[in-house]
């Protein structure tokens, strides 16, 4: 590809709803315990959107913060990509609703479906438009209201997930900075391991399906766990290889936050000390496409990154999908 410019992050933002569900709250709802949830997953609490709060509202707040952080007007955005599995409606896309709410008059907009890998898939897509000179500024958002698609009586899933949104504005950056390499992958044969069975054209919603709870997330936790432990390290190693870098050169890993034990396995494989891994699972649980951008933005605004630091993003999830990228942080840290 004829690369005209490097693409990197110019600003980030995040938003989580005010409603909190603690492990102790869950003890009163299903047969579980704070001790089980903390030791098996690392989660202490998660956020829950209000009943009348659609995912676009979370996305809008994160997007506004990212634009402000980049000192950029909404009119300067050329493209909006929203990675989500909990869009406001089937149509129109959440990205189109966001385009209107933001006043991003000149932006094209679409949603991207890659579940928990969605933010990295969308980031890789954004970079293609920028690197080829087609667009200058692409707003990428990972946003979820998983609380609306989980069965709050199913202890296998309801303890794991949370709501939130994270955003990054991508644009042209100096030579040697920004996104250096990425790895995207899929294995559709594993699709049943993590799915919302009904509500699409395969199984349109019927009373029977509704009664069976097929509108909710169903997960074979063990199968996804085994896949995640293998793929997280593997995809980061692939991305590193593509830009000629080694594990030792990673300054920060921002992984999908599904289970602390999955992160510990990745730390071991990539020989990364905990200080280099951005972890917020204890406060937010698994926010699917929002996990990585919320962690990234929180860390950036906490001044964890210096210009030129090497950052690896890595996600995995339903599809099955996985995705990673290596970037050199392009933003000056202003204290
Ligand atoms: O973002 C998408 C990617 N998603 C993931 O990466 C999730 C990957 N999977 C996981 O994180 C883990 O598999 C879980 C956290 C979902 C489950 O942990 P586990 O260590 O694999 O537990 P398990 O499913 O083997 O269950 C162990 C026991 C079972 O009881 P028995 O059969 O041994 O009597 C479960 O019924 O724990 C029981 N259990 C619970 N107990 C209390 C399952 N969920 C709960 C619960 N509270 N919430």
């Amino acid at each position: 590809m004829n690369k005209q410019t490097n693409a990197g992050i110019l600003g980030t933002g995040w938003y989580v709803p005010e409603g909190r569900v603690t492990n102790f709250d869950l003890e009163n709802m299903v047969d579980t315990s704070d001790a089980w949830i903390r030791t098996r997953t690392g989660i202490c609490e998660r956020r829950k959107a209000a009943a009348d709060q659609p995912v676009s509202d979370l996305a809008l707040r994160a997007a506004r913060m990212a634009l402000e952080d980049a000192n950029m007007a909404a009119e300067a955005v050329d493209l909006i990509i929203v990675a989500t599995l909990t869009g406001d409606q089937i149509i129109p896309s959440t990205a189109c609703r966001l385009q209107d709410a933001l006043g991003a008059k000149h932006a094209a907009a679409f949603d991207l479906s890659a579940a928990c890998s969605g933010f990295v898939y969308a980031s890789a897509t954004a970079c293609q438009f920028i690197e080829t000179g087609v667009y200058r500024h692409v707003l990428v958002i990972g946003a979820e209201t998983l609380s609306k698609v989980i069965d709050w009586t199913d202890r296998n899933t309801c303890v794991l997930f949370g709501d939130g949104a994270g955003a990054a504005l991508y644009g042209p950056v100096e030579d040697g900075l920004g996104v250096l390499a990425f790895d995207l992958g899929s294995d559709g044969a594993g699709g049943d391991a993590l799915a919302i069975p009904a509500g699409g054209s395969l199984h349109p919603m019927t009373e029977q399906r509704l009664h069976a709870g097929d509108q909710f997330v169903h997960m074979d936790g063990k199968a996804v766990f085994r896949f995640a432990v293998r793929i997280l390290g593997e995809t980061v190693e692939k991305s590193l290889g593509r830009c000629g870098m080694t594990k030792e050169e990673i300054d920060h890993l921002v992984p999908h936050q599904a289970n602390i034990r999955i992160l510990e396995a990745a730390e071991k494989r990539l020989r990364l000390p905990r200080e280099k891994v951005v972890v917020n699972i204890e406060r937010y649980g698994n926010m699917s496409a929002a996990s990585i951008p919320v962690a990234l933005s929180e860390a950036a605004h906490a001044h964890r990154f210096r210009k030129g630091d090497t950052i690896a993003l890595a996600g995995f999830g339903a599809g099955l999908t996985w995705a990673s990228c290596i970037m050199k942080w392009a933003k000056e840290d202003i204290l």
Side-chain angles (χ1 to χ4, degrees), residues 36-43 160 219 221 224-225 228-229 232 255-266 274 279 281-282 285-286 291 316:
W36 191 95
I37 303 169
R38 260 188 303 112
T39 53
R40 302 313 291 165
T41 72
I43 303 167
L160 304 173
M219 183 172 73
V224 180
F225 189 91
V229 163
L232 193 50
H256 174 48
Q257 316 271 320
N259 188 316
I260 195 70
R261 293 181 290 137
I262 296 172
L263 302 191
E264 284 161 0
R274 173 57 59 88
V279 179
I281 189 171
E282 69 284 359
N286 178 346
S291 274
F316 53 84

PDB file of all heavy atoms in Angstrom, residues 36-43 160 219 221 224-225 228-229 232 255-266 274 279 281-282 285-286 291 316:
ATOM      1  N   TRP A  36     -16.693 -15.624  45.047  1.00  0.00           N
ATOM      2  CA  TRP A  36     -16.600 -16.380  43.778  1.00  0.00           C
ATOM      3  C   TRP A  36     -16.289 -15.420  42.626  1.00  0.00           C
ATOM      4  O   TRP A  36     -15.383 -15.655  41.834  1.00  0.00           O
ATOM      5  CB  TRP A  36     -17.897 -17.141  43.480  1.00  0.00           C
ATOM      6  CG  TRP A  36     -17.742 -18.124  42.339  1.00  0.00           C
ATOM      7  CD1 TRP A  36     -17.458 -19.458  42.447  1.00  0.00           C
ATOM      8  CD2 TRP A  36     -17.810 -17.839  40.923  1.00  0.00           C
ATOM      9  NE1 TRP A  36     -17.348 -20.025  41.187  1.00  0.00           N
ATOM     10  CE2 TRP A  36     -17.560 -19.056  40.230  1.00  0.00           C
ATOM     11  CE3 TRP A  36     -18.055 -16.699  40.176  1.00  0.00           C
ATOM     12  CZ2 TRP A  36     -17.548 -19.160  38.850  1.00  0.00           C
ATOM     13  CZ3 TRP A  36     -18.038 -16.793  38.780  1.00  0.00           C
ATOM     14  CH2 TRP A  36     -17.792 -18.013  38.135  1.00  0.00           C
ATOM     15  N   ILE A  37     -17.040 -14.334  42.554  1.00  0.00           N
ATOM     16  CA  ILE A  37     -16.874 -13.429  41.409  1.00  0.00           C
ATOM     17  C   ILE A  37     -15.472 -12.820  41.420  1.00  0.00           C
ATOM     18  O   ILE A  37     -14.793 -12.772  40.390  1.00  0.00           O
ATOM     19  CB  ILE A  37     -17.957 -12.322  41.404  1.00  0.00           C
ATOM     20  CG1 ILE A  37     -19.365 -12.921  41.383  1.00  0.00           C
ATOM     21  CG2 ILE A  37     -17.777 -11.400  40.194  1.00  0.00           C
ATOM     22  CD1 ILE A  37     -20.494 -11.921  41.634  1.00  0.00           C
ATOM     23  N   ARG A  38     -15.020 -12.375  42.602  1.00  0.00           N
ATOM     24  CA  ARG A  38     -13.704 -11.733  42.660  1.00  0.00           C
ATOM     25  C   ARG A  38     -12.574 -12.706  42.321  1.00  0.00           C
ATOM     26  O   ARG A  38     -11.685 -12.392  41.552  1.00  0.00           O
ATOM     27  CB  ARG A  38     -13.458 -11.095  44.030  1.00  0.00           C
ATOM     28  CG  ARG A  38     -13.719  -9.598  43.988  1.00  0.00           C
ATOM     29  CD  ARG A  38     -13.312  -8.865  45.247  1.00  0.00           C
ATOM     30  NE  ARG A  38     -13.962  -9.398  46.423  1.00  0.00           N
ATOM     31  CZ  ARG A  38     -13.318 -10.050  47.387  1.00  0.00           C
ATOM     32  NH1 ARG A  38     -12.023 -10.217  47.339  1.00  0.00           N
ATOM     33  NH2 ARG A  38     -13.995 -10.519  48.418  1.00  0.00           N
ATOM     34  N   THR A  39     -12.636 -13.912  42.885  1.00  0.00           N
ATOM     35  CA  THR A  39     -11.518 -14.836  42.643  1.00  0.00           C
ATOM     36  C   THR A  39     -11.559 -15.450  41.241  1.00  0.00           C
ATOM     37  O   THR A  39     -10.515 -15.675  40.648  1.00  0.00           O
ATOM     38  CB  THR A  39     -11.465 -15.964  43.700  1.00  0.00           C
ATOM     39  OG1 THR A  39     -12.749 -16.585  43.733  1.00  0.00           O
ATOM     40  CG2 THR A  39     -11.107 -15.441  45.071  1.00  0.00           C
ATOM     41  N   ARG A  40     -12.752 -15.700  40.702  1.00  0.00           N
ATOM     42  CA  ARG A  40     -12.846 -16.343  39.378  1.00  0.00           C
ATOM     43  C   ARG A  40     -12.733 -15.354  38.224  1.00  0.00           C
ATOM     44  O   ARG A  40     -12.426 -15.728  37.100  1.00  0.00           O
ATOM     45  CB  ARG A  40     -14.168 -17.120  39.216  1.00  0.00           C
ATOM     46  CG  ARG A  40     -14.448 -18.203  40.213  1.00  0.00           C
ATOM     47  CD  ARG A  40     -13.302 -19.129  40.452  1.00  0.00           C
ATOM     48  NE  ARG A  40     -13.001 -19.979  39.289  1.00  0.00           N
ATOM     49  CZ  ARG A  40     -11.875 -20.660  39.150  1.00  0.00           C
ATOM     50  NH1 ARG A  40     -10.919 -20.582  40.064  1.00  0.00           N
ATOM     51  NH2 ARG A  40     -11.681 -21.415  38.080  1.00  0.00           N
ATOM     52  N   THR A  41     -13.024 -14.030  38.501  1.00  0.00           N
ATOM     53  CA  THR A  41     -13.032 -13.073  37.383  1.00  0.00           C
ATOM     54  C   THR A  41     -12.231 -11.793  37.639  1.00  0.00           C
ATOM     55  O   THR A  41     -11.830 -11.127  36.701  1.00  0.00           O
ATOM     56  CB  THR A  41     -14.476 -12.616  37.046  1.00  0.00           C
ATOM     57  OG1 THR A  41     -14.951 -11.748  38.085  1.00  0.00           O
ATOM     58  CG2 THR A  41     -15.425 -13.786  36.896  1.00  0.00           C
ATOM     59  N   GLY A  42     -12.063 -11.401  38.913  1.00  0.00           N
ATOM     60  CA  GLY A  42     -11.392 -10.137  39.236  1.00  0.00           C
ATOM     61  C   GLY A  42     -12.343  -8.952  39.278  1.00  0.00           C
ATOM     62  O   GLY A  42     -11.923  -7.815  39.508  1.00  0.00           O
ATOM     63  N   ILE A  43     -13.636  -9.195  39.074  1.00  0.00           N
ATOM     64  CA  ILE A  43     -14.612  -8.091  39.025  1.00  0.00           C
ATOM     65  C   ILE A  43     -15.192  -7.815  40.425  1.00  0.00           C
ATOM     66  O   ILE A  43     -15.540  -8.756  41.154  1.00  0.00           O
ATOM     67  CB  ILE A  43     -15.780  -8.434  38.057  1.00  0.00           C
ATOM     68  CG1 ILE A  43     -15.238  -8.737  36.652  1.00  0.00           C
ATOM     69  CG2 ILE A  43     -16.793  -7.283  37.996  1.00  0.00           C
ATOM     70  CD1 ILE A  43     -16.260  -9.395  35.720  1.00  0.00           C
ATOM     71  N   LEU A 160     -20.717 -10.932  34.843  1.00  0.00           N
ATOM     72  CA  LEU A 160     -19.502 -10.628  34.073  1.00  0.00           C
ATOM     73  C   LEU A 160     -19.501  -9.266  33.382  1.00  0.00           C
ATOM     74  O   LEU A 160     -18.441  -8.672  33.195  1.00  0.00           O
ATOM     75  CB  LEU A 160     -19.295 -11.705  32.987  1.00  0.00           C
ATOM     76  CG  LEU A 160     -19.215 -13.155  33.469  1.00  0.00           C
ATOM     77  CD1 LEU A 160     -19.178 -14.097  32.270  1.00  0.00           C
ATOM     78  CD2 LEU A 160     -17.990 -13.357  34.334  1.00  0.00           C
ATOM     79  N   MET A 219     -23.338 -18.028  26.692  1.00  0.00           N
ATOM     80  CA  MET A 219     -21.889 -18.212  26.567  1.00  0.00           C
ATOM     81  C   MET A 219     -21.436 -19.539  27.144  1.00  0.00           C
ATOM     82  O   MET A 219     -21.856 -19.934  28.236  1.00  0.00           O
ATOM     83  CB  MET A 219     -21.148 -17.073  27.281  1.00  0.00           C
ATOM     84  CG  MET A 219     -19.643 -17.182  27.130  1.00  0.00           C
ATOM     85  SD  MET A 219     -18.764 -15.742  27.747  1.00  0.00           S
ATOM     86  CE  MET A 219     -18.936 -15.981  29.495  1.00  0.00           C
ATOM     87  N   GLY A 221     -18.623 -20.445  28.745  1.00  0.00           N
ATOM     88  CA  GLY A 221     -17.515 -19.723  29.391  1.00  0.00           C
ATOM     89  C   GLY A 221     -16.177 -20.428  29.273  1.00  0.00           C
ATOM     90  O   GLY A 221     -15.158 -19.805  28.967  1.00  0.00           O
ATOM     91  N   VAL A 224     -14.699 -20.246  25.712  1.00  0.00           N
ATOM     92  CA  VAL A 224     -14.206 -18.896  25.403  1.00  0.00           C
ATOM     93  C   VAL A 224     -12.931 -18.617  26.209  1.00  0.00           C
ATOM     94  O   VAL A 224     -11.988 -18.003  25.704  1.00  0.00           O
ATOM     95  CB  VAL A 224     -15.294 -17.822  25.681  1.00  0.00           C
ATOM     96  CG1 VAL A 224     -14.772 -16.429  25.360  1.00  0.00           C
ATOM     97  CG2 VAL A 224     -16.549 -18.099  24.867  1.00  0.00           C
ATOM     98  N   PHE A 225     -12.905 -19.097  27.437  1.00  0.00           N
ATOM     99  CA  PHE A 225     -11.724 -18.895  28.291  1.00  0.00           C
ATOM    100  C   PHE A 225     -10.482 -19.520  27.660  1.00  0.00           C
ATOM    101  O   PHE A 225      -9.428 -18.886  27.545  1.00  0.00           O
ATOM    102  CB  PHE A 225     -11.997 -19.512  29.673  1.00  0.00           C
ATOM    103  CG  PHE A 225     -10.950 -19.196  30.701  1.00  0.00           C
ATOM    104  CD1 PHE A 225     -11.077 -18.084  31.524  1.00  0.00           C
ATOM    105  CD2 PHE A 225      -9.824 -20.005  30.860  1.00  0.00           C
ATOM    106  CE1 PHE A 225     -10.113 -17.776  32.472  1.00  0.00           C
ATOM    107  CE2 PHE A 225      -8.853 -19.701  31.802  1.00  0.00           C
ATOM    108  CZ  PHE A 225      -9.010 -18.581  32.613  1.00  0.00           C
ATOM    109  N   ALA A 228      -9.436 -17.562  24.654  1.00  0.00           N
ATOM    110  CA  ALA A 228      -8.897 -16.237  25.005  1.00  0.00           C
ATOM    111  C   ALA A 228      -7.459 -16.347  25.513  1.00  0.00           C
ATOM    112  O   ALA A 228      -6.595 -15.556  25.131  1.00  0.00           O
ATOM    113  CB  ALA A 228      -9.788 -15.591  26.065  1.00  0.00           C
ATOM    114  N   VAL A 229      -7.210 -17.329  26.357  1.00  0.00           N
ATOM    115  CA  VAL A 229      -5.868 -17.500  26.929  1.00  0.00           C
ATOM    116  C   VAL A 229      -4.843 -17.745  25.815  1.00  0.00           C
ATOM    117  O   VAL A 229      -3.731 -17.226  25.852  1.00  0.00           O
ATOM    118  CB  VAL A 229      -5.881 -18.664  27.963  1.00  0.00           C
ATOM    119  CG1 VAL A 229      -4.478 -19.152  28.258  1.00  0.00           C
ATOM    120  CG2 VAL A 229      -6.571 -18.213  29.233  1.00  0.00           C
ATOM    121  N   LEU A 232      -4.770 -14.262  23.019  1.00  0.00           N
ATOM    122  CA  LEU A 232      -4.345 -12.916  23.435  1.00  0.00           C
ATOM    123  C   LEU A 232      -2.839 -12.713  23.219  1.00  0.00           C
ATOM    124  O   LEU A 232      -2.411 -11.741  22.585  1.00  0.00           O
ATOM    125  CB  LEU A 232      -4.744 -12.680  24.901  1.00  0.00           C
ATOM    126  CG  LEU A 232      -4.665 -11.266  25.443  1.00  0.00           C
ATOM    127  CD1 LEU A 232      -5.352 -10.270  24.535  1.00  0.00           C
ATOM    128  CD2 LEU A 232      -5.305 -11.193  26.830  1.00  0.00           C
ATOM    129  N   PRO A 255      -5.394  -4.550  27.232  1.00  0.00           N
ATOM    130  CA  PRO A 255      -6.129  -5.722  26.731  1.00  0.00           C
ATOM    131  C   PRO A 255      -7.635  -5.605  26.967  1.00  0.00           C
ATOM    132  O   PRO A 255      -8.083  -4.819  27.810  1.00  0.00           O
ATOM    133  CB  PRO A 255      -5.565  -6.850  27.597  1.00  0.00           C
ATOM    134  CG  PRO A 255      -5.235  -6.191  28.903  1.00  0.00           C
ATOM    135  CD  PRO A 255      -4.945  -4.738  28.628  1.00  0.00           C
ATOM    136  N   HIS A 256      -8.398  -6.426  26.264  1.00  0.00           N
ATOM    137  CA  HIS A 256      -9.821  -6.572  26.561  1.00  0.00           C
ATOM    138  C   HIS A 256      -9.945  -7.116  27.986  1.00  0.00           C
ATOM    139  O   HIS A 256      -9.178  -7.996  28.388  1.00  0.00           O
ATOM    140  CB  HIS A 256     -10.466  -7.531  25.553  1.00  0.00           C
ATOM    141  CG  HIS A 256     -11.883  -7.826  25.882  1.00  0.00           C
ATOM    142  ND1 HIS A 256     -12.781  -6.832  26.193  1.00  0.00           N
ATOM    143  CD2 HIS A 256     -12.569  -8.997  25.973  1.00  0.00           C
ATOM    144  CE1 HIS A 256     -13.952  -7.377  26.457  1.00  0.00           C
ATOM    145  NE2 HIS A 256     -13.847  -8.683  26.334  1.00  0.00           N
ATOM    146  N   GLN A 257     -10.897  -6.578  28.726  1.00  0.00           N
ATOM    147  CA  GLN A 257     -11.003  -6.906  30.159  1.00  0.00           C
ATOM    148  C   GLN A 257     -12.139  -7.919  30.371  1.00  0.00           C
ATOM    149  O   GLN A 257     -13.271  -7.517  30.660  1.00  0.00           O
ATOM    150  CB  GLN A 257     -11.287  -5.643  30.962  1.00  0.00           C
ATOM    151  CG  GLN A 257     -10.457  -4.428  30.562  1.00  0.00           C
ATOM    152  CD  GLN A 257      -9.141  -4.320  31.293  1.00  0.00           C
ATOM    153  OE1 GLN A 257      -9.078  -4.597  32.485  1.00  0.00           O
ATOM    154  NE2 GLN A 257      -8.080  -3.936  30.601  1.00  0.00           N
ATOM    155  N   ALA A 258     -11.847  -9.198  30.171  1.00  0.00           N
ATOM    156  CA  ALA A 258     -12.906 -10.207  30.313  1.00  0.00           C
ATOM    157  C   ALA A 258     -12.758 -10.988  31.612  1.00  0.00           C
ATOM    158  O   ALA A 258     -13.753 -11.393  32.214  1.00  0.00           O
ATOM    159  CB  ALA A 258     -12.894 -11.167  29.134  1.00  0.00           C
ATOM    160  N   ASN A 259     -11.526 -11.222  32.036  1.00  0.00           N
ATOM    161  CA  ASN A 259     -11.287 -12.037  33.227  1.00  0.00           C
ATOM    162  C   ASN A 259      -9.837 -11.810  33.650  1.00  0.00           C
ATOM    163  O   ASN A 259      -8.934 -11.911  32.814  1.00  0.00           O
ATOM    164  CB  ASN A 259     -11.529 -13.521  32.882  1.00  0.00           C
ATOM    165  CG  ASN A 259     -11.499 -14.391  34.126  1.00  0.00           C
ATOM    166  OD1 ASN A 259     -10.640 -14.241  34.986  1.00  0.00           O
ATOM    167  ND2 ASN A 259     -12.446 -15.305  34.217  1.00  0.00           N
ATOM    168  N   ILE A 260      -9.613 -11.511  34.907  1.00  0.00           N
ATOM    169  CA  ILE A 260      -8.255 -11.222  35.378  1.00  0.00           C
ATOM    170  C   ILE A 260      -7.319 -12.420  35.141  1.00  0.00           C
ATOM    171  O   ILE A 260      -6.123 -12.247  34.887  1.00  0.00           O
ATOM    172  CB  ILE A 260      -8.259 -10.784  36.875  1.00  0.00           C
ATOM    173  CG1 ILE A 260      -6.928 -10.138  37.261  1.00  0.00           C
ATOM    174  CG2 ILE A 260      -8.571 -11.941  37.811  1.00  0.00           C
ATOM    175  CD1 ILE A 260      -6.669  -8.794  36.658  1.00  0.00           C
ATOM    176  N   ARG A 261      -7.894 -13.634  35.161  1.00  0.00           N
ATOM    177  CA  ARG A 261      -7.041 -14.819  34.952  1.00  0.00           C
ATOM    178  C   ARG A 261      -6.558 -14.901  33.500  1.00  0.00           C
ATOM    179  O   ARG A 261      -5.467 -15.404  33.227  1.00  0.00           O
ATOM    180  CB  ARG A 261      -7.789 -16.097  35.358  1.00  0.00           C
ATOM    181  CG  ARG A 261      -8.045 -16.157  36.871  1.00  0.00           C
ATOM    182  CD  ARG A 261      -8.763 -17.419  37.282  1.00  0.00           C
ATOM    183  NE  ARG A 261     -10.132 -17.447  36.835  1.00  0.00           N
ATOM    184  CZ  ARG A 261     -10.743 -18.498  36.297  1.00  0.00           C
ATOM    185  NH1 ARG A 261     -10.099 -19.633  36.132  1.00  0.00           N
ATOM    186  NH2 ARG A 261     -11.997 -18.432  35.914  1.00  0.00           N
ATOM    187  N   ILE A 262      -7.362 -14.388  32.563  1.00  0.00           N
ATOM    188  CA  ILE A 262      -6.934 -14.337  31.152  1.00  0.00           C
ATOM    189  C   ILE A 262      -5.791 -13.317  31.026  1.00  0.00           C
ATOM    190  O   ILE A 262      -4.799 -13.557  30.330  1.00  0.00           O
ATOM    191  CB  ILE A 262      -8.118 -13.963  30.230  1.00  0.00           C
ATOM    192  CG1 ILE A 262      -9.194 -15.053  30.280  1.00  0.00           C
ATOM    193  CG2 ILE A 262      -7.648 -13.727  28.788  1.00  0.00           C
ATOM    194  CD1 ILE A 262     -10.499 -14.705  29.564  1.00  0.00           C
ATOM    195  N   LEU A 263      -5.912 -12.207  31.737  1.00  0.00           N
ATOM    196  CA  LEU A 263      -4.858 -11.175  31.679  1.00  0.00           C
ATOM    197  C   LEU A 263      -3.571 -11.696  32.313  1.00  0.00           C
ATOM    198  O   LEU A 263      -2.471 -11.434  31.813  1.00  0.00           O
ATOM    199  CB  LEU A 263      -5.324  -9.889  32.370  1.00  0.00           C
ATOM    200  CG  LEU A 263      -6.608  -9.264  31.818  1.00  0.00           C
ATOM    201  CD1 LEU A 263      -6.825  -7.873  32.381  1.00  0.00           C
ATOM    202  CD2 LEU A 263      -6.570  -9.192  30.289  1.00  0.00           C
ATOM    203  N   GLU A 264      -3.699 -12.463  33.394  1.00  0.00           N
ATOM    204  CA  GLU A 264      -2.500 -13.020  34.040  1.00  0.00           C
ATOM    205  C   GLU A 264      -1.775 -13.988  33.099  1.00  0.00           C
ATOM    206  O   GLU A 264      -0.549 -14.004  33.041  1.00  0.00           O
ATOM    207  CB  GLU A 264      -2.885 -13.712  35.363  1.00  0.00           C
ATOM    208  CG  GLU A 264      -3.161 -12.707  36.471  1.00  0.00           C
ATOM    209  CD  GLU A 264      -3.965 -13.267  37.650  1.00  0.00           C
ATOM    210  OE1 GLU A 264      -4.328 -14.470  37.620  1.00  0.00           O
ATOM    211  OE2 GLU A 264      -4.250 -12.493  38.577  1.00  0.00           O
ATOM    212  N   ALA A 265      -2.565 -14.769  32.346  1.00  0.00           N
ATOM    213  CA  ALA A 265      -1.947 -15.704  31.388  1.00  0.00           C
ATOM    214  C   ALA A 265      -1.216 -14.929  30.295  1.00  0.00           C
ATOM    215  O   ALA A 265      -0.110 -15.317  29.872  1.00  0.00           O
ATOM    216  CB  ALA A 265      -3.036 -16.595  30.777  1.00  0.00           C
ATOM    217  N   ALA A 266      -1.796 -13.813  29.854  1.00  0.00           N
ATOM    218  CA  ALA A 266      -1.147 -12.993  28.809  1.00  0.00           C
ATOM    219  C   ALA A 266       0.126 -12.353  29.356  1.00  0.00           C
ATOM    220  O   ALA A 266       1.147 -12.286  28.669  1.00  0.00           O
ATOM    221  CB  ALA A 266      -2.111 -11.933  28.302  1.00  0.00           C
ATOM    222  N   ARG A 274       2.984  -6.533  35.830  1.00  0.00           N
ATOM    223  CA  ARG A 274       1.634  -5.970  35.954  1.00  0.00           C
ATOM    224  C   ARG A 274       1.603  -4.451  35.704  1.00  0.00           C
ATOM    225  O   ARG A 274       0.627  -3.936  35.146  1.00  0.00           O
ATOM    226  CB  ARG A 274       1.074  -6.321  37.347  1.00  0.00           C
ATOM    227  CG  ARG A 274      -0.253  -5.681  37.720  1.00  0.00           C
ATOM    228  CD  ARG A 274      -1.401  -5.978  36.759  1.00  0.00           C
ATOM    229  NE  ARG A 274      -1.753  -7.365  36.558  1.00  0.00           N
ATOM    230  CZ  ARG A 274      -2.624  -8.048  37.296  1.00  0.00           C
ATOM    231  NH1 ARG A 274      -3.210  -7.485  38.326  1.00  0.00           N
ATOM    232  NH2 ARG A 274      -2.906  -9.296  37.004  1.00  0.00           N
ATOM    233  N   VAL A 279      -5.340  -2.299  33.654  1.00  0.00           N
ATOM    234  CA  VAL A 279      -6.427  -3.162  34.140  1.00  0.00           C
ATOM    235  C   VAL A 279      -7.485  -2.305  34.842  1.00  0.00           C
ATOM    236  O   VAL A 279      -7.149  -1.518  35.733  1.00  0.00           O
ATOM    237  CB  VAL A 279      -5.879  -4.221  35.133  1.00  0.00           C
ATOM    238  CG1 VAL A 279      -7.004  -5.106  35.650  1.00  0.00           C
ATOM    239  CG2 VAL A 279      -4.789  -5.075  34.491  1.00  0.00           C
ATOM    240  N   ILE A 281     -10.767  -3.983  35.165  1.00  0.00           N
ATOM    241  CA  ILE A 281     -11.870  -4.959  35.233  1.00  0.00           C
ATOM    242  C   ILE A 281     -12.577  -4.939  36.587  1.00  0.00           C
ATOM    243  O   ILE A 281     -13.781  -5.165  36.661  1.00  0.00           O
ATOM    244  CB  ILE A 281     -11.356  -6.382  34.882  1.00  0.00           C
ATOM    245  CG1 ILE A 281     -12.531  -7.339  34.724  1.00  0.00           C
ATOM    246  CG2 ILE A 281     -10.354  -6.889  35.893  1.00  0.00           C
ATOM    247  CD1 ILE A 281     -12.180  -8.694  34.174  1.00  0.00           C
ATOM    248  N   GLU A 282     -11.815  -4.640  37.658  1.00  0.00           N
ATOM    249  CA  GLU A 282     -12.429  -4.681  38.986  1.00  0.00           C
ATOM    250  C   GLU A 282     -13.555  -3.657  39.119  1.00  0.00           C
ATOM    251  O   GLU A 282     -14.523  -3.879  39.821  1.00  0.00           O
ATOM    252  CB  GLU A 282     -11.370  -4.501  40.094  1.00  0.00           C
ATOM    253  CG  GLU A 282     -10.734  -3.111  40.203  1.00  0.00           C
ATOM    254  CD  GLU A 282      -9.690  -2.808  39.132  1.00  0.00           C
ATOM    255  OE1 GLU A 282      -9.421  -3.682  38.278  1.00  0.00           O
ATOM    256  OE2 GLU A 282      -9.146  -1.691  39.132  1.00  0.00           O
ATOM    257  N   GLY A 285     -16.029  -4.546  35.013  1.00  0.00           N
ATOM    258  CA  GLY A 285     -16.343  -5.831  34.393  1.00  0.00           C
ATOM    259  C   GLY A 285     -16.001  -5.812  32.911  1.00  0.00           C
ATOM    260  O   GLY A 285     -15.170  -5.018  32.451  1.00  0.00           O
ATOM    261  N   ASN A 286     -16.656  -6.701  32.170  1.00  0.00           N
ATOM    262  CA  ASN A 286     -16.405  -6.848  30.732  1.00  0.00           C
ATOM    263  C   ASN A 286     -17.396  -5.946  29.971  1.00  0.00           C
ATOM    264  O   ASN A 286     -18.604  -6.189  29.983  1.00  0.00           O
ATOM    265  CB  ASN A 286     -16.605  -8.322  30.370  1.00  0.00           C
ATOM    266  CG  ASN A 286     -16.432  -8.611  28.892  1.00  0.00           C
ATOM    267  OD1 ASN A 286     -16.403  -7.711  28.064  1.00  0.00           O
ATOM    268  ND2 ASN A 286     -16.326  -9.878  28.555  1.00  0.00           N
ATOM    269  N   SER A 291     -14.441  -1.987  26.432  1.00  0.00           N
ATOM    270  CA  SER A 291     -13.406  -2.254  27.446  1.00  0.00           C
ATOM    271  C   SER A 291     -12.064  -1.624  27.089  1.00  0.00           C
ATOM    272  O   SER A 291     -11.444  -0.947  27.912  1.00  0.00           O
ATOM    273  CB  SER A 291     -13.209  -3.767  27.624  1.00  0.00           C
ATOM    274  OG  SER A 291     -14.129  -4.278  28.553  1.00  0.00           O
ATOM    275  N   PHE A 316     -10.450  -9.902  22.046  1.00  0.00           N
ATOM    276  CA  PHE A 316     -10.923 -11.214  21.584  1.00  0.00           C
ATOM    277  C   PHE A 316     -12.371 -11.327  21.998  1.00  0.00           C
ATOM    278  O   PHE A 316     -12.782 -10.687  22.973  1.00  0.00           O
ATOM    279  CB  PHE A 316     -10.107 -12.331  22.260  1.00  0.00           C
ATOM    280  CG  PHE A 316     -10.098 -12.186  23.758  1.00  0.00           C
ATOM    281  CD1 PHE A 316     -11.131 -12.690  24.525  1.00  0.00           C
ATOM    282  CD2 PHE A 316      -9.093 -11.480  24.401  1.00  0.00           C
ATOM    283  CE1 PHE A 316     -11.165 -12.509  25.901  1.00  0.00           C
ATOM    284  CE2 PHE A 316      -9.120 -11.282  25.775  1.00  0.00           C
ATOM    285  CZ  PHE A 316     -10.154 -11.797  26.521  1.00  0.00           C
TER     286      PHE A 316
END
